[in-house]
Amino acid sequence: EAGVAQSPRYKIIEKRQSVAFWCNPISGHATLYWYQQILGQGPKLLIQFQNNGVVDDSQLPKDRFSAERLKGVDSTLKIQPAKLEDSAVYLCASSTGSGAEEQFFGPGTRLTVL
Amino acid sequence: KQEVTQIPAALSVPEGENLVLNCSFTDSAIYNLQWFRQDPGKGLTSLLLIQSSQREQTSGRLNASLDKSSGRSTLYIAASQPGDSATYLCAVTSGTYKYIFGTGTRLKVLA
């Protein structure tokens, strides 16, 4: 069974530029999560999708971050414009449901904002 | 509000030692607790998942225990090896089913 796929693996941009990350969850997983992990900290949930609907985006900085999951499969996370403090690893995870099921994580995208 | 703490923040041990990593959480009403391993610049690898009704889980040299009433979990690593060097994260699921992560323990096993 293929795992969660993410791209790109690394991205370096200058502040005020835009960037987008892509995630392909495990086949059949209804729930998709985006986490932000700042160096030295644990991952923090940004947004949770159940199929193509948003379940929780309470910690998403909506003035600059946006995410979508068209057709309930792949998802993209966008930052526009980026700030220095957005430098982090962005992790995507998926699970079969939106309850307490185990989440499976992708390799992450490391973003550096200069 | 659920908070998860991991102690120590960093640990360095000689190869072959048995060691214990600690995770504590403030709200005992959890659904499950999971231990992850993270190598530098990489994603999370699941090690052990303990459901709230369970007391422990074992996989190879790893054993994780859960004491919900005291808000604690420990990850025991037997006969540590240099390949065990990584950051170990614990996460709990509670309330709205979100994973709440600790800040991790950076482990270095010296050859």
Side-chain angles (χ1 to χ4, degrees):
Chain A
E1 176 182 85
V4 177
Q6 290 187 246
S7 68
R9 292 297 313 279
Y10 306 93
K11 189 75 176 177
I12 300 174
I13 62 173
E14 295 191 349
K15 60 183 179 183
R16 291 188 288 274
Q17 286 188 325
S18 302
V19 65
F21 312 127
W22 174 82
C23 173
N24 182 244
I26 293 173
S27 177
H29 279 195
T31 307
L32 185 147
Y33 312 80
W34 283 102
Y35 290 85
Q36 179 193 58
Q37 185 179 22
I38 293 172
L39 187 65
Q41 299 181 17
K44 180 185 78 173
L45 180 68
L46 291 176
I47 188 166
Q48 176 184 346
F49 290 96
Q50 173 76 10
N51 296 310
N52 59 352
V54 175
V55 174
D56 185 347
D57 63 358
S58 57
Q59 298 191 92
L60 186 75
K62 299 181 185 63
D63 57 334
R64 298 183 300 106
F65 286 64
S66 64
E68 60 182 11
R69 190 184 184 198
L70 300 176
K71 301 181 181 177
V73 182
D74 294 6
S75 176
T76 55
L77 176 69
K78 297 179 182 177
I79 307 175
Q80 179 179 11
K83 292 185 175 181
L84 297 178
E85 58 261 37
D86 298 332
S87 294
V89 175
Y90 290 85
L91 296 164
C92 179
S94 69
S95 66
T96 54
S98 60
E101 292 88 356
E102 183 176 1
Q103 296 179 25
F104 297 86
F105 285 79
T109 296
R110 177 177 292 278
L111 173 67
T112 301
V113 182
L114 303 175
Chain B
K1 178 186 172 186
Q2 179 74 270
E3 293 182 1
V4 181
T5 305
Q6 291 187 247
I7 295 172
L11 183 62
S12 186
V13 300
E15 182 178 7
E17 270 204 10
N18 302 324
L19 57 98
V20 174
L21 306 181
N22 297 294
C23 172
S24 61
F25 45 95
T26 54
D27 184 351
S28 62
I30 65 170
Y31 297 106
N32 56 46
L33 182 145
Q34 193 164 1
W35 283 93
F36 294 89
R37 170 188 172 135
Q38 186 172 35
D39 292 286
K42 301 290 179 64
L44 305 180
T45 301
S46 177
L47 297 174
L48 291 164
L49 172 68
I50 311 176
Q51 300 293 346
S52 63
S53 58
Q54 298 174 319
R55 296 282 297 192
E56 65 177 342
Q57 284 282 352
T58 298
S59 176
R61 294 182 294 109
L62 305 179
N63 175 275
S65 66
L66 174 64
D67 184 345
K68 257 190 8 172
S69 61
S70 66
R72 292 182 183 180
S73 176
T74 60
L75 179 66
Y76 175 82
I77 303 177
S80 59
Q81 303 170 357
D84 294 330
S85 298
T87 295
Y88 291 80
L89 292 157
C90 71
V92 299
T93 309
S94 60
T96 55
Y97 306 114
K98 288 193 297 191
Y99 271 32
I100 305 297
F101 284 86
T103 51
T105 294
R106 287 192 316 280
L107 173 65
K108 188 168 186 178
V109 181
L110 306 170

